[in-house]
Amino acid sequence: MGEALNKIIKACFEGFFGTMIAGWLFYTLQSIRKNRRMFIWLWLILFAMASWRFFIHNFYSPRYAAIFLFPAILLTAYMMVKFRKWWWVLIIVMGIICCCKILRQDASGRLLINAADIIRKNSANKKHPLSIVNYKDKLRMEFYSAVQVLPFNESKEFSEKIRALSKIIANHANYSDAIYICCEMPHDSKITGENLNLNGDFKLIYSALSSRKKKIYFNVYRYYRKGKISSPAVPEGKNLIANGGFEESSLFNKELLQILSKRRHKFFTDKTQYPVSWSINPRDCNIQTEIEVSAVDPLSGKKSLRLQSTDICEVYSNFFTINDKAEFYCRIRGKENSLASIILLNYEQIRNCRPVSIPVLPVKILQDDQIMELSFLFDPAEYGVTGKYFRLQFNVDNGEVFFDDVTVVNKK
């Protein structure tokens, strides 16, 4: 509830929130005797709005709190009209608040700049350094550190954070000579190389208090691998992914081309090859999305799946069932700085059911045309999903990436 109130105050702007409370109190004192009906309606409306915000599950976005800006302005205007002889005092107070807000430094922003500066200096002699940060810090870290950045969904739960980071580092360790992990940690928790099952030099190089009340620290860890890590092997067993090598392809039919034309995607024609047993999901905006089965320099066999976009484009597989746990493997190649991700879609039933999206592995291409082998073990119980059916989805958020030899095998 405290976090929700903080977002409401910020959405109203601190000055308006203060004058809203003052106007609310003055209106209450005046109307409790003269106009009880309006007084009751005002309280009911504000109570309903507050209840909707305070008790709604997963109150993350400050945009939903912006609805409080309207009663804040109205009650501030009421106060100015009611005390019109003293309106200038209100203007001065709000002006002081504005100046204080402008001059006050953003502590979290300063921590990120300091961390980026340390990463930039520490990675000066490295050919392919990689920084792993929360999605919200991606652009600033890229700007201040001049290091390639891989964003990930940072969970507040320690076990979930370790699980995500261990998958990311294990799949990028052979392709980066220095990996920097930026994350927030409670004062009584710490990440170690043993937590992440790493063989090499894992060290804390920066730590600063980001929340004094919650005792949260913003930490930066550095990892150097020790020697060459053995490449993952293709899992043995029946492949649950149909056409995982993308050797089977077909032309777009007229109906699908009409849909894509309405979405203003100019790349797709009646000669474009798309993968059999896979589905594409280009977004409804005018972006440069290219999705095709390409025979030009394939990773394996005669063809590979190529995705290129300036925004998110998605391709997902056929349905498959995971009995207990599953092993995943694929090969990818792309242009330097391209950003991709592997996602699992979980369904309770095949038809008329919205999937649960599980972000499993974000991927950063560090060198042009370098072939990366990706693998991970997936346990549905770790993610708390109960659906029987899954799809494997590839996203390309930016750049060009080729996929091939996609394999999913039930682990015995």
Side-chain angles (χ1 to χ4, degrees), residues 179-218:
I179 298 178
Y180 300 90
I181 302 99
C182 306
C183 58
E184 291 187 335
M185 296 296 298
H187 73 287
D188 55 351
S189 299
K190 63 178 181 179
I191 299 178
T192 64
E194 289 75 17
N195 292 144
L196 300 171
N197 297 318
L198 298 178
N199 179 22
D201 179 20
F202 187 82
K203 183 180 179 181
L204 176 67
I205 62 172
Y206 175 77
S207 181
L209 189 64
S210 62
S211 175
R212 192 175 300 275
K213 181 184 292 186
K214 297 180 180 180
K215 296 182 179 180
I216 300 294
Y217 286 81
F218 183 80

Side-chain angles (χ1 to χ4, degrees), residues 77-92:
Y78 167 79
M79 216 179 107
M80 292 179 70
V81 171
K82 185 67 179 176
F83 300 96
R84 51 184 175 270
K85 292 182 179 180
W86 301 96
W87 64 268
W88 55 272
V89 176
L90 181 62
I91 299 298
I92 292 174

Side-chain angles (χ1 to χ4, degrees), residues 100-117:
C100 292
K101 189 173 179 66
I102 292 170
L103 295 174
R104 186 180 62 185
Q105 291 187 346
D106 181 7
S108 61
R110 174 49 57 186
L111 292 179
L112 190 71
I113 293 172
N114 293 340
D117 186 57

Side-chain angles (χ1 to χ4, degrees), residues 237-262:
K238 181 183 178 182
N239 190 0
L240 303 178
I241 303 295
N243 193 26
F246 304 105
E247 299 300 306
E248 299 178 37
S249 60
S250 179
L251 296 174
F252 281 86
N253 57 43
K254 292 182 179 180
E255 294 181 358
L256 187 53
L257 285 173
Q258 289 177 353
I259 294 173
L260 294 170
S261 178
K262 290 180 181 178

Side-chain angles (χ1 to χ4, degrees), residues 130-142:
L130 175 66
S131 177
I132 303 171
V133 302
N134 195 317
Y135 265 97
K136 64 182 178 64
D137 298 326
K138 175 182 179 293
L139 295 178
R140 287 189 295 176
M141 180 58 74
E142 283 180 335

Side-chain angles (χ1 to χ4, degrees), residues 165-180:
L165 289 173
S166 62
K167 282 186 172 67
I168 293 172
I169 297 172
N171 283 282
H172 289 82
N174 267 341
Y175 313 101
S176 174
D177 47 3
I179 298 178
Y180 300 90

